[in-house]
Amino acid sequence: MLKIGIVGTGWFSGVHGKILSTMEGVQIKAVLGTTKQKADEFAYEFDHAKGYGNFVEMLDCEKLDAVYICVPPFAHGELELQLIERGIPFLVEKPLSVDLEVPKQVISKLQRNPLITSVGYHFRYRDSVKFLKNELENSTLGMVTGGWMGSMPTVSWWRNQETSGGQFVEQTTHLVDLLRYSAGEVEEVYAVFGSRSLHKTYDFVTVPDIGTVTLKMKSGVIANLSNTCILPDGDSKVGLDYYSDKGILHINHDRLEKSIGGLKSVHQDTVDPYLLENEAFLHAVRTGDSSRVLSNYYDAFRTQEVAVAALKSAESGEPVKINL
Ligand SMILES: NC(=O)c1ccc[n+]([C@@H]2O[C@H](COP(=O)([O-])OP(=O)(O)OC[C@H]3O[C@@H](n4cnc5c(N)ncnc54)[C@H](O)[C@@H]3O)[C@@H](O)[C@H]2O)c1
């Protein structure tokens, strides 16, 4: 029986908790909240789980096989470092942090103490992404454009640049990661961000609400990822368009649409990528074989580097090169 700990008692802890509770040979044993009371309330939903308000106490009291970290971007650091110190594999939700400071510390500790890690870039587990990659292998890709256009999530940490890192780091990171996974490494970024409306409508908004980032890829491909969180609830447009010598591929939240030489077809996602992500991680924890984990901490660090480079570029007004 794999004994699992969950850190965080919010929305995404719930999503992972539900999946874990349907899996054979897996028990959620411990939950960490910002207070013991919040942790107890969350843990109550799961048969064998106990709530904790202190991470060290949780790790001292339970013999955990793996821990899920589902906290906002600003709250990373000590959690990962403690787990590496104790040799406990972890799945951490994206993004790795608000910037590169904590991820660099984590990487440096991981290099000294290798450990199974997984990062929640779930797009990689979608079957439409598998089709997308196959199509791209047989074509010459020219450009990729797209973006994450939506409304502002209501949790308070999201609207604060210091606690979320802003939309590009927090949300559009999924598309940065998909771009890297499907079209290779990014060499340079140039970003323009702006604030049009949300800071006038809501209190304490310090994140930009519009932005566009041009990315030069190592292969010579040029990409552009834009984002806004200005839209009213109910309106959203999320996805990427790939333009190649074979035609157009459009991927959105649940399917891949192809137009190859004018012939149109659709691949609808059929499997739950979050389930596959969880299965791959727990398989690695059980067997030591992490070949099914499609995003580990090292790879996710590269995605974080690109997103943070965009922040730096928007601040300085200059293109920023990525160290490859
Ligand atoms: N992969 C995905 O598709 C996906 C989807 C949604 C959210 N996420 C990511 O999951 C993370 C959490 O998002 P959420 O929607 O669950 O947010 P949320 O605000 O609903 O929950 C965050 C939880 O973390 C807790 N927390 C904060 N600091 C903590 C600490 N030091 N120790 C313990 N608990 C702490 C908060 O009390 C809260 O319960 C974010 O990074 C987000 O980007 C990923």
Side-chain angles (χ1 to χ4, degrees):
M1 185 65 70
L2 284 183
K3 299 186 178 100
I4 309 292
I6 297 184
V7 178
T9 55
W11 175 40
F12 233 62
S13 292
V15 170
H16 282 298
K18 267 200 198 88
I19 293 173
L20 290 169
S21 64
T22 65
M23 293 170 97
E24 288 278 319
V26 176
Q27 251 178 21
I28 300 173
K29 286 291 285 180
V31 174
L32 178 76
T34 43
T35 63
K36 176 156 166 46
Q37 191 192 339
K38 278 172 83 176
D40 282 341
E41 279 165 21
F42 187 95
Y44 184 75
E45 301 291 317
F46 303 99
D47 281 348
H48 306 277
K50 191 173 160 194
Y52 290 87
N54 180 290
F55 193 45
V56 171
E57 187 193 341
M58 174 173 117
L59 298 180
D60 284 347
C61 292
E62 306 282 346
K63 251 190 103 14
L64 298 172
D65 296 301
V67 167
Y68 280 59
I69 305 175
C70 310
V71 298
F74 73 90
H76 293 281
E78 263 317 298
L79 299 166
E80 290 87 342
L81 295 174
Q82 270 288 334
L83 292 169
I84 300 170
E85 188 71 39
R86 293 171 187 245
I88 302 175
F90 59 85
L91 183 151
V92 57
E93 266 309 331
K94 44 56 62 180
L96 300 182
S97 184
V98 290
D99 54 26
L100 287 181
E101 203 181 311
V102 161
K104 277 183 180 164
Q105 288 171 24
V106 173
I107 289 275
S108 142
K109 197 154 177 119
L110 272 177
Q111 279 164 343
R112 281 176 274 128
N113 308 272
L115 189 68
I116 290 164
T117 59
S118 171
V119 182
Y121 285 111
H122 70 280
F123 278 51
R124 292 186 176 217
Y125 297 86
R126 292 173 49 185
D127 38 359
S128 54
V129 169
K130 224 184 265 171
F131 285 122
L132 169 74
K133 277 170 73 74
N134 279 344
E135 291 290 340
L136 291 174
E137 268 168 27
N138 302 313
S139 66
T140 301
L141 180 61
M143 293 190 71
V144 186
T145 63
W148 197 295
M149 313 305 193
S151 53
M152 187 175 72
T154 49
V155 281
S156 59
W157 57 263
W158 203 93
R159 63 190 64 186
N160 180 339
Q161 183 66 30
E162 280 177 17
T163 52
S164 72
Q167 186 179 13
F168 200 77
V169 164
E170 212 287 327
Q171 211 169 41
T172 316
T173 184
H174 275 303
L175 299 183
V176 174
D177 191 68
L178 178 56
L179 180 68
R180 285 188 51 245
Y181 188 53
S182 55
E185 293 301 344
V186 176
E187 223 169 46
E188 188 175 310
V189 302
Y190 174 63
V192 183
F193 291 170
S195 291
R196 291 288 297 158
S197 118
L198 291 178
H199 64 291
K200 294 183 206 153
T201 317
Y202 300 98
D203 289 335
F204 312 119
V205 175
T206 56
V207 293
D209 57 15
I210 51 170
T212 190
V213 182
T214 296
L215 305 100
K216 266 208 252 178
M217 317 287 292
K218 197 171 170 221
S219 61
V221 167
I222 295 171
N224 180 269
L225 301 178
S226 296
N227 60 204
T228 183
C229 48
I230 212 170
L231 297 177
D233 277 342
D235 284 319
S236 78
K237 191 174 165 189
V238 176
L240 293 180
D241 291 298
Y242 293 74
Y243 300 93
S244 79
D245 61 345
K246 295 283 180 346
I248 303 171
L249 301 166
H250 169 73
I251 189 150
N252 58 26
H253 64 285
D254 66 355
R255 65 189 176 278
L256 174 71
E257 295 169 2
K258 297 196 291 181
S259 170
I260 306 289
L263 280 178
K264 298 199 188 318
S265 59
V266 174
H267 287 293
Q268 189 75 33
D269 279 325
T270 52
V271 286
D272 175 358
Y274 295 115
L275 177 62
L276 293 187
E277 175 188 89
N278 276 274
E279 285 174 349
F281 172 60
L282 295 181
H283 174 76
V285 173
R286 272 198 192 97
T287 64
D289 167 19
S290 53
S291 59
R292 283 160 54 184
V293 172
L294 300 182
S295 169
N296 62 21
Y297 203 94
Y298 288 98
D299 197 292
F301 181 80
R302 287 246 169 250
T303 295
Q304 181 78 0
E305 270 186 314
V306 176
V308 171
L311 281 189
K312 295 226 154 65
S313 172
E315 267 165 33
S316 67
E318 301 288 336
V320 173
K321 284 206 187 305
I322 315 280
N323 273 336
L324 287 176

